[in-house]
Amino acid sequence: MSNVQTMTPYEALGGEAGLHRLVDRFYALMDELPEAYAARRIHPENLAGANQSLFEFLSGWFGGPDLYIQKKGHPRLRMRHMPYAIGPQERDAWMLCMRLAIEEQVQDEALRAWLLDTFGQMADHMVNTGPAQGCCAQASESTTAATKRACVSA
């Protein structure tokens, strides 16, 4: 097994410095891109706190230090995002910024693909408006029929 295969995503991203670059670029894109407005408008004017929270969450989620949990406890992402109306437009704007940040910051193709899939699933799960909400709001063609049925009945 190669070292790349045994690395955590946190390590593969370059540890603290690499993760900061990714998160910083993500929030810079959110401020720069008019197409990101749907996601940007549900954030505070100053993104410093959101930037730090995302960095801390991703640190633990990707196998680094559990900074978020140490400060705030279990992430409970969906619950923490419930005060904000998140629909497909907000999800897509958020994913646009994350996709561009990943494409700019992550050189390894396999890691890039994994990150895009992982963030896509998380973004789908945050959708809390409209007739299709949560994990299966945007079930892809590759999603099995059983998974789609499970989400619909959830």
Side-chain angles (χ1 to χ4, degrees):
M1 182 180 280
S2 74
N3 284 342
V4 172
Q5 292 172 320
T6 61
M7 295 174 89
T8 65
Y10 179 83
E11 294 166 330
L13 284 167
E16 181 179 351
L19 187 55
H20 268 299
R21 282 191 299 274
L22 178 65
V23 172
D24 290 347
R25 185 61 184 139
F26 166 77
Y27 280 111
L29 288 163
M30 192 176 286
D31 260 346
E32 294 169 8
L33 298 176
E35 302 93 331
Y37 177 73
R40 178 62 179 96
R41 71 178 176 208
I42 61 176
H43 286 78
E45 186 175 333
N46 183 329
L47 292 172
N51 184 310
Q52 186 63 27
S53 287
L54 182 59
F55 167 78
E56 290 169 356
F57 168 72
L58 293 179
S59 175
W61 198 40
F62 288 158
D66 279 328
L67 304 171
Y68 189 93
I69 290 173
Q70 291 169 9
K71 282 186 176 179
K72 300 179 183 178
H74 190 283
R76 294 182 184 90
L77 288 181
R78 193 151 158 82
M79 180 198 76
R80 290 182 195 265
H81 287 80
M82 279 310 232
Y84 312 102
I86 301 172
Q89 186 178 13
E90 290 79 13
R91 179 208 54 224
D92 291 350
W94 192 94
M95 277 303 299
L96 171 66
C97 297
M98 187 54 74
R99 179 179 52 79
L100 292 173
I102 289 168
E103 289 173 357
E104 290 177 18
Q105 300 296 317
V106 180
Q107 302 306 309
D108 181 84
E109 287 183 40
L111 178 60
R112 213 171 33 237
W114 181 83
L115 288 168
L116 290 171
D117 181 59
T118 300
F119 279 119
Q121 290 176 41
M122 180 176 66
D124 285 345
H125 185 66
M126 294 297 107
V127 173
N128 60 20
T129 63
Q133 300 174 14
C135 68
C136 295
Q138 300 298 316
S140 67
E141 290 180 25
S142 64
T143 305
T144 66
T147 302
K148 288 178 185 176
R149 282 192 305 275
C151 288
V152 169
S153 64

